[in-house]
Amino acid sequence: MSYWSWDSSLSVGVEVIDGQHRRILDYINELDVARSSNDREKVSEVLMGLVDYTRTHFAFEEDMMKQAGYPLSVSHKRVHDAFVAHIDNYAVQHESGKDVTRKLMSELQIWLTNHIQNDDRDYAPYASKILNKSWLTRTLGKFFG
Ligand SMILES: [Fe+2]
Ligand SMILES: [Fe+2]
């Protein structure tokens, strides 16, 4: 059983975004596996991947919101920035030898559920307007390429 399974209550109705959110959930599940096997090195590795992927996802969303003319893109970015600072702090605590993984996972789950179901879902109708194949290829390449 994985720690957290994706279900349709987490869908924002935008395929590319749902895919990125699923990848973040996968990271959290990988973190759980590393944690339960007491593999500190693996925990560090997954944690770094999670932070990095989350930053890239946020940057992708921010660019998409801006290009789509979403009126709340600035405040949405502020929420992302505060959250990145928060998880960075957890990563630092982990590196200093503290066991914060479990607490981080449960906070991530609560924060992400709330953020996806409210903030992310709110931009979805705007995003749908600019989402087409050429836009996607260009923008995915810019951030994930
Ligand atoms: Fe998101
Ligand atoms: Fe977001």
Side-chain angles (χ1 to χ4, degrees):
M1 256 309 264
S2 49
Y3 178 80
W4 190 13
S5 314
W6 195 91
D7 66 76
S8 58
S9 76
L10 291 168
S11 174
V12 298
V14 179
E15 211 184 312
V16 63
I17 297 294
D18 285 351
Q20 293 174 16
H21 290 154
R22 277 173 188 262
R23 182 66 190 99
I24 296 175
L25 258 73
D26 285 344
Y27 269 114
I28 296 171
N29 289 325
E30 282 174 37
L31 204 53
D32 186 48
V33 172
R35 189 197 58 82
S36 8
S37 52
N38 287 315
D39 189 343
R40 258 197 84 79
E41 218 163 278
K42 185 75 188 165
V43 169
S44 303
E45 188 194 310
V46 178
L47 204 51
M48 269 172 54
L50 170 68
V51 171
D52 187 60
Y53 188 86
T54 304
R55 278 180 191 276
T56 309
H57 163 66
F58 284 170
F60 178 87
E61 268 190 358
E62 286 156 16
D63 194 68
M64 184 188 67
M65 287 187 286
K66 215 157 87 187
Q67 291 189 49
Y70 177 58
L72 301 177
S73 59
V74 173
S75 57
H76 194 130
K77 182 184 180 332
R78 262 189 229 126
V79 173
H80 285 169
D81 289 346
F83 189 67
V84 165
H86 191 65
I87 46 176
D88 272 349
N89 184 20
Y90 268 109
V92 169
Q93 288 189 56
H94 169 78
E95 291 312 320
S96 75
K98 289 203 183 112
D99 187 10
V100 290
T101 321
R102 213 185 174 99
K103 196 158 173 271
L104 169 65
M105 285 163 49
S106 93
E107 273 190 31
L108 273 173
Q109 187 173 20
I110 295 164
W111 188 90
L112 279 168
T113 303
N114 176 57
H115 183 72
I116 291 170
Q117 292 180 339
N118 296 291
D119 300 345
D120 285 355
R121 206 168 270 166
D122 195 63
Y123 71 57
Y126 288 83
S128 311
K129 286 185 219 162
I130 55 156
L131 281 168
N132 55 57
K133 209 164 182 255
S134 77
W135 183 89
L136 257 183
T137 310
R138 186 160 29 93
T139 313
L140 284 173
K142 186 164 145 195
F143 292 97
F144 294 92

